[in-house]
Amino acid sequence: MAPSSSVTGSGRGHAPPPEFAREWPEVRTLYELISAGREAGFVPTWLWHATPADWDGYESGIWTHTAAWLREHPPDAPPESAELSGYLEAIQDEYILFGREAVGWTMILFRPI
């Protein structure tokens, strides 16, 4: 695809498999974050959630910088090039298939009760 080309679509992937949805137990769901704040004696008073465009920009930045590194380091150069190439493809597939629907970025303002 030419650098100026683009593909558009609904952005809807597949439902995330349960193992992906809880792959990182230290990454809490929004409900878990709100509950933890309340248990700590705070009340949520404001919430901002990144848009799909915000999240796409974040993910695309990772792809862009990883691809640039791979261009500068051919697969037969450092041993980690082949591993990083596989990693890039895996994170792109995850994001396209279900990550975009399952992962996001939110800021919550809590105030003491």
Side-chain angles (χ1 to χ4, degrees):
M1 182 178 287
S4 61
S5 298
S6 64
V7 175
T8 59
S10 69
R12 291 300 211 188
H14 304 285
E19 62 273 10
F20 175 81
R22 295 310 298 179
E23 186 172 336
W24 304 286
E26 69 277 5
V27 178
R28 297 178 180 186
T29 66
L30 182 56
Y31 179 77
E32 290 169 336
L33 290 171
I34 296 290
S35 295
R38 287 176 176 153
E39 288 173 15
F42 296 92
V43 61
T45 59
W46 180 83
L47 179 129
W48 175 84
H49 192 77
T51 67
D54 295 331
W55 196 242
D56 288 347
Y58 173 82
E59 286 291 325
S60 295
I62 295 169
W63 299 359
T64 298
H65 292 290
T66 304
W69 189 92
L70 288 168
R71 273 193 309 277
E72 295 169 10
H73 302 86
D76 57 347
E80 59 271 0
S81 291
E83 182 180 336
L84 190 58
S85 181
Y87 171 77
L88 176 60
E89 188 173 319
I91 65 170
Q92 288 170 332
D93 288 350
E94 270 186 357
Y95 186 72
I96 303 284
L97 289 171
F98 40 78
R100 190 170 192 259
E101 305 301 321
V103 182
W105 183 264
T106 300
M107 289 190 295
I108 307 164
L109 177 62
F110 289 95
R111 299 219 184 257
I113 295 177

